[in-house]
Structures are given as C-alpha cells and as structure tokens.
Amino acid sequence: MFKIKKNFFINLAYSSIFLSIIFRALSIANQDTFLRNLGYLFQAFVLLCYILYGLITLKRCQINSVNIILMILIIYQCIISLAKHSFLFPNTLLDVLTWPLSIIVYYNFSYQGTIPNSMRVKTWVSYAFLCAISFKLISILMSGISRGGQVIFPTYYCLTLLPLMLVLTEQKKYRYLCIIFCIVVLFASTKRAGTLALISSLFSMGIIEAHIQGTLNKKRKKYLYLFLVICIGSILLIYLEKEFQLSIFKRFSTIFSDGGSGRDEIWKITLRAYINSDLMDKIFGHGFQSVYYQLRPQGLSRFAHNSYLEYLYDYGILGLILLVSFEIALIGIEFKLIKNKSKYAPVMGMMLVITIFLSLFSYFFEESNIIQPMAIAYGVILGLAYNEGRLI
C-alpha cells in the first residue's frame, strides 16, 4: 500500500510538471493569460504532491551533500525574502521551492528502484508537444509579428528537456532523433546562448562518452561519430541559413558588438546597484527577485540575464556562495561518474555545460521555469548512480 501511494504522488507530480510547462509555453504562443495562470496552478499542484510524497517517504529519505545544500538554499532564500519584505505569495514559493525540491524528490524516488515506463512515455509526449509549440513560435518570429526575446524563449524547453530524454531513452536511434529535433529548433530560433549551450554540451557529451569507453578501438569509433555529428550539424546549419534566411551567422557575428542583445548594459546596471548597496545588502541581498521587481534595469521589469549576478543582488554574497557550492558539488559528482565509467557521466557532463551557459547568459536558477526538466534529470541521474554504487 505504501509503494502505491508513493508512486501515485510521483506520477501526479510528473504529469503536472509537464502540463505546467506546456500551458506556459502555449500562453506565450497564444498570448493567453488563462493558459499562463493554468500553468502556475499545475506548478502549485506539483509542490503539493512533493510535500505529500515527502511526508510518506520521510523515514526513507536519502541525504547527500547536494540535498543538504539545496535545503539550506531554500531556507535561506525564504528567510531573506521575508526579512526584506519581498516575499510574494505564491510566486516566492513556486520559484524558490519547486526546482530544488524536484532534484531532491526525484533523487529519492530513482534511488529506490527503476524508472517506470509511464515516465518515459510522458516525457516523449511532452517533448513532442514542446517541439510543436516551438515551431509555432519560430513561425511567429519569422513572420515579423513579434521580435525575438520573450516570444521565442520557450524554445529553451527543448534544450533543457533533452538531457532527461537521453537518460530515459535507451535506443540510440531515438536518442539521435531527439538531438536532431533540438538542433533544428535552437538553430531556427536564432537564440545564440541556447545554440552555443547546445553545441558545447553535445561536444562535451561526445568527449566524455568516448573517454569512458573501455578499448582504444571503441574510443576511436566514438570520436569518429562525434566528428560526423559536427559535420552533419554544420551542413544542417548552412541549409537552414540559406533556405529560411534566418540570419544565424549574422546574429553570431554581432554577439560581442551588440552586447548580447543589451545584456552587457543590464549587467552593468545590476553590478553597479550591488556595489552601491549598503554592507548588509551586499552580504544578505535585497530579497526575492529584487532585480525584476525593484531595480528594474532600463526601466523594465526584467531579470539580470545572469543567474550569478541575479543571486548576488537578490541574496547577497552568501546566496551566491550557496548557489556556486551547489554547482561545485555537481561538478565533483561528475568527476566521480567519469572515474567510475558510469553510463550517466556523458549526460551529466552535458547538463553541467547547459547549466553554466544558461546561468551566464539567461535566467536559469532565479525562477522554476526552464530549469524544471533539468532539475528532474539531475535528481534521476543522482538517484540511479547512487543506487548502482557509482558514487560511493
């Protein structure tokens, strides 16, 4: 009876996460506030499922360094937000709690045993929906109705869901199919940070996968496959550029001259505001999403487009230390996986590259949005790796 209840809440949470993501993506594609609110409602339901799952499995909860850091990070952000009178209900709970708890919950769930096939099916269906929505958003962008930015942002879901797809998909041909769809979506979107993150992460995954192969012959084959993928990707990029006039190369050629679509100015404003803050604010920060709600760079409600700067301003140097400690813990785990030749090492390496790229050039940790699929994947990999004794 215990096992049925546990799986019941996990299944509900898993379905609700992707319904939340799909509805939020659809709300941008259709400019529909109702769909957006529906997405937030499902995200709130995810938190409820996590709490109930936690109560049921409390005695069997597995503790590791990553989980401890995440719990401290959650408590710290909530305390600072309350102290700075920036706690917004339910926004703070949804953004501060959801992604860390996703890692903790799915770590504990996958640690207990195998991943049910229903999760694989739901992931595939969600990926198909998100790819379809992304193509619709790209068509809106190409039509000139809306110019880039927020309208094309949901295409990042295809990128952050890719690692989970690769973890849950065993057949190579289907794994390659997922990668191809992601390449097409990201290139067509002309999102430079996302495209660079995808290319770099695929390259790192290929290198790690080749490195952990047992024999020299297998390593050579893997490096050959990696070279072929790069060639095919380059040909695909040139085809998309010419066929659809996406101005991909032009966008990349101006990546430094345009300051990353104005990111450099936002970074300067945020950093200057932090430097001019008093000592207590420098240490503890200004509270929940203060860059977005209070600082408002260039007079607009927007994030810092750099998670490290965002955390520095919102939660001070202590908050930034906690965030970086979490990333360092993950990097340490990746080295262990590589050392033990774990089959999860390549995807884990891929995720770390995506995490660093999106943290540097977008908003990743500050809200439970595009990070959600990655958070689940981190939890699943950690749980399965510990279960197999690869992290002991």
Side-chain angles (χ1 to χ4, degrees):
M1 188 68 177
F2 169 81
K3 190 173 182 180
I4 294 174
K5 287 182 179 179
K6 178 185 70 174
N7 289 342
F8 174 74
F9 288 119
I10 282 291
N11 286 330
L12 273 181
Y14 200 77
S15 300
S16 299
I17 284 173
F18 288 110
L19 285 172
S20 171
I21 290 172
I22 289 169
F23 280 127
R24 290 170 75 170
L26 281 172
S27 71
I28 295 176
N30 297 285
Q31 295 295 302
D32 192 320
T33 305
F34 174 75
L35 291 174
R36 181 172 177 268
N37 292 334
L38 200 57
Y40 284 118
L41 181 63
F42 274 106
Q43 188 176 341
F45 189 67
V46 170
L47 274 182
L48 177 61
C49 290
Y50 284 169
I51 292 170
L52 294 174
Y53 174 81
L55 292 173
I56 292 173
T57 61
L58 188 60
K59 292 182 179 180
R60 299 190 180 189
C61 183
Q62 301 295 322
I63 304 296
N64 62 19
S65 59
V66 172
N67 290 354
I68 292 172
I69 293 171
L70 288 175
M71 289 306 300
I72 294 173
L73 185 62
I74 289 173
I75 295 169
Y76 176 81
Q77 289 180 92
C78 289
I79 291 174
I80 296 301
S81 298
L82 286 169
K84 296 292 183 177
H85 306 290
S86 60
F87 192 99
L88 302 175
F89 184 84
N91 304 57
T92 304
L93 293 177
L94 293 179
D95 285 332
V96 170
L97 269 65
T98 310
W99 73 260
L101 287 182
S102 291
I103 296 176
I104 295 171
V105 166
Y106 284 96
Y107 161 74
N108 279 279
F109 175 71
S110 58
Y111 181 87
Q112 301 299 330
T114 57
I115 302 298
N117 191 57
S118 60
M119 283 181 62
R120 292 182 170 87
V121 174
K122 291 174 185 177
T123 310
W124 267 96
V125 171
S126 300
Y127 193 73
F129 267 106
L130 289 170
C131 284
I133 295 169
S134 295
F135 285 125
K136 180 178 180 179
L137 292 170
I138 291 166
S139 68
I140 293 173
L141 175 68
M142 294 174 64
S143 68
I145 297 174
S146 179
R147 294 184 61 189
Q150 193 63 29
V151 71
I152 211 71
F153 185 74
T155 58
Y156 276 156
Y157 284 123
C158 294
L159 174 63
T160 57
L161 183 52
L162 181 60
L164 185 60
M165 291 290 295
L166 297 179
V167 170
L168 299 181
T169 304
E170 296 180 357
Q171 297 91 339
K172 285 186 177 181
K173 60 181 179 180
Y174 295 128
R175 288 163 64 96
Y176 292 146
L177 185 63
C178 295
I179 292 172
I180 290 171
F181 268 106
C182 190
I183 290 172
V184 171
V185 167
L186 264 296
F187 281 151
S189 74
T190 69
K191 295 291 284 184
R192 293 173 295 187
T195 304
L196 287 173
L198 175 62
I199 294 171
S200 303
S201 63
L202 288 174
F203 186 77
S204 65
M205 184 178 72
I207 292 292
I208 295 171
E209 198 166 12
H211 176 74
I212 64 175
Q213 296 300 315
T215 64
L216 183 60
N217 188 42
K218 286 184 177 180
K219 289 184 179 181
R220 286 174 178 170
K221 285 183 178 180
K222 284 294 179 181
Y223 283 121
L224 179 59
Y225 289 149
L226 179 61
F227 176 74
L228 290 174
V229 168
I230 293 173
C231 291
I232 294 171
S234 300
I235 294 170
L236 179 63
L237 175 59
I238 294 170
Y239 171 77
L240 289 172
E241 171 76 15
K242 291 183 176 180
E243 186 70 18
F244 298 103
Q245 298 180 343
L246 297 176
S247 301
I248 297 172
F249 294 118
K250 184 179 179 181
R251 287 267 295 161
F252 274 99
S253 67
T254 60
I255 193 169
F256 296 108
S257 60
D258 69 355
S261 299
R263 282 178 175 82
D264 58 338
E265 289 301 320
I266 299 172
W267 296 342
K268 289 176 184 177
I269 292 169
T270 306
L271 187 58
R272 192 182 304 119
Y274 174 78
I275 292 172
N276 293 331
S277 301
D278 61 41
L279 181 60
M280 294 299 288
D281 286 338
K282 287 180 180 177
I283 297 173
F284 299 106
H286 298 77
F288 174 71
Q289 294 181 358
S290 293
V291 173
Y292 185 93
Y293 289 108
Q294 298 176 27
L295 183 60
R296 303 181 77 246
Q298 300 174 328
L300 298 172
S301 295
R302 64 197 340 169
F303 292 107
H305 282 75
N306 181 303
S307 291
Y308 306 112
L309 265 180
E310 182 84 32
Y311 263 71
L312 184 64
Y313 188 84
D314 291 351
Y315 302 109
I317 191 66
L318 291 181
L320 180 60
I321 289 172
L322 285 173
L323 181 65
V324 173
S325 298
F326 163 68
E327 291 188 320
I328 291 172
L330 290 178
I331 292 171
I333 288 172
E334 171 64 358
F335 278 116
K336 285 185 179 180
L337 291 175
I338 294 173
K339 181 181 178 181
N340 294 327
K341 299 186 182 300
S342 170
K343 64 181 179 180
Y344 304 114
V347 179
M348 184 71 169
M350 176 191 199
M351 291 168 61
L352 287 171
V353 172
I354 294 173
T355 296
I356 292 170
F357 260 94
L358 295 186
S359 298
L360 284 171
F361 301 109
S362 188
Y363 38 100
F364 191 64
F365 288 109
E366 44 269 62
E367 61 172 359
S368 291
N369 194 356
I370 60 171
I371 192 177
Q372 267 307 120
M374 294 270 287
I376 297 171
Y378 274 127
V380 169
I381 286 179
L382 292 177
L384 292 175
Y386 270 107
N387 182 268
E388 294 178 3
R390 295 291 183 176
L391 291 176
I392 296 174

